[in-house]
Amino acid sequence: MSPHVPLAPITLILGGARSGKSALAERLAESQPGPCVYVATAEAWDEEMTERIAQHQARRGNRWHTHEAPRDLVACLQRLSDGGPERPGVILVDCLTLWLTNIMLAERAIGTEIQALTACLPDLRVPVILVSNEVGLGIVPENALARRFRDHAGRLNQATAAVAHSVIFVAAGLPLVLKGEAKALP
Amino acid sequence: MSPHVPLAPITLILGGARSGKSALAERLAESQPGPCVYVATAEAWDEEMTERIAQHQARRGNRWHTHEAPRDLVACLQRLSDGGPERPGVILVDCLTLWLTNIMLAERAIGTEIQALTACLPDLRVPVILVSNEVGLGIVPENALARRFRDHAGRLNQATAAVAHSVIFVAAGLPLVLKGEAKALP
Amino acid sequence: MSPHVPLAPITLILGGARSGKSALAERLAESQPGPCVYVATAEAWDEEMTERIAQHQARRGNRWHTHEAPRDLVACLQRLSDGGPERPGVILVDCLTLWLTNIMLAERAIGTEIQALTACLPDLRVPVILVSNEVGLGIVPENALARRFRDHAGRLNQATAAVAHSVIFVAAGLPLVLKGEAKALP
């Protein structure tokens, strides 16, 4: 995508672990004019996660501002959308799967949270790119919590895909358009 | 798909857990004229499964009749196909993966069972929609039984896809046509 | 693909367990003129693996020569490419995921090995077909080593896809072109 080809209002980028989905999302955001906001849902609760966060930050240049929203994602998106002259050109949420993990750990009502998220997205005044993991294509997990997580993750992806204008599946760094126009991607 | 666009004789719908594959299969069946038969392969052996079955049943309306075939799927399909004036307009089998689990637990000869299934499908006088899980895209399971299951599930999907006229992969509720015509889906 | 339609110089075939990716790779290789070389990265370290190797060999006919390269894949590819009149018509590497397992077990520097592989591919004088597993679409593994493996496998697939001219994802035996021309496949 050459610069200034306008983004769909809501873009969902789905993929597996290390599929290149975050890198594609970042290139897509950077193809837009104006400042990019990165909404990080990760919490650095161990060394492995601290390292992953540092790797992601190192890749992004200084056109980016980072906001942290491990749980209060809807409030964060609304605040950014209402920011007046401070409003960014594009918001990238990376990733919905970690947000889901965090609200499950906080024992919030998952269905209500997913509904609030998908209800707020169409009203945002800034194009938003959401990154999410596909986790349902392996063997049924032996662990009951993992099965519950997998079910919620699947429902979250379905609900988000239903309101998104563009849904792109990424494998080995390569995009596959599941919904919306198959225009050239950056 | 608008009503009365005829279904392919054999349709396979593949997807991960909570991918929306059953919902797509049901919409596809309901786009056809005549009564719909739901062939359930699930057995309610625990609470989690009882709840899943109840959720699936609640979603289907009263155009549907349910038949249970946890193991004797071929006999069930042939009986429905031979039903004369009682013959349904469409048969939906949900899902092949649970049927495979059940025949593995019953220690039947898997290869023979898969062959009998794929041999019977082309002779059915009613269009059939088969739902199946893709389970081979995660890390190799540590458990040897899970590895065996994954191998059989992959072979079952390949054998069914080979005789199907239409194969649709579903992710986040969105269809991706792998085989057959990419007509509009309901 | 009818015989003699030339292969892309580098083809990557991605898929899950028992997806039919090796069979597709073999049909693709056999659609080419000249002798086919099979580069096996598997080591028969247990009965299960011995059986898998035997099954794969039984399927291939006698147009094939087998070379084993569980770890020294780059050297093997270069030797085959430099073979002068002995040079094969096509090389099939099955599979990159086992090669990665082997170099991880040998405690080699993974990043360096991946870079050496992707650097050597464009210089080969023989078309090469690489088979690799997609392993990142299940739930996050509980085992830290499995998580590390999954990360490396994702990076390996991305790096290989970046230099490949044709990338095909296989599910249930059916091909889906992710990169390159969507020509008829054998």
Side-chain angles (χ1 to χ4, degrees), chain A residues 137-143 150, chain B residues 104 134-154, chain C residues 16-18 45-46 48-49 52 97 133-136 138-143 146 149-150:
Chain A
L137 290 161
I139 215 80
V140 178
E142 286 179 43
N143 175 324
R150 194 170 77 138
Chain B
M104 278 183 75
E134 172 57 59
V135 300
L137 290 161
I139 215 79
V140 179
E142 287 178 43
N143 176 323
L145 181 64
R147 285 200 300 277
R148 271 217 315 137
F149 176 74
R150 194 169 77 139
D151 282 356
H152 288 310
Chain C
R18 298 289 170 194
W45 63 78
D46 66 10
E48 195 178 327
M49 190 53 79
R52 285 189 181 226
T97 320
N133 278 69
E134 172 57 57
V135 299
I139 216 76
V140 179
E142 287 177 43
N143 175 324
F149 175 73
R150 195 170 76 139

Side-chain angles (χ1 to χ4, degrees), chain C residues 143-185:
Chain C
N143 175 324
L145 181 64
R147 284 201 300 277
R148 272 218 312 138
F149 175 73
R150 195 170 76 139
D151 282 357
H152 288 309
R155 285 198 196 98
L156 169 61
N157 286 343
Q158 282 190 56
T160 313
V163 298
H165 307 86
S166 168
V167 181
I168 300 166
F169 183 84
V170 184
L174 300 169
L176 186 71
V177 174
L178 292 179
K179 183 177 181 179
E181 228 183 305
K183 50 192 165 189
L185 290 160

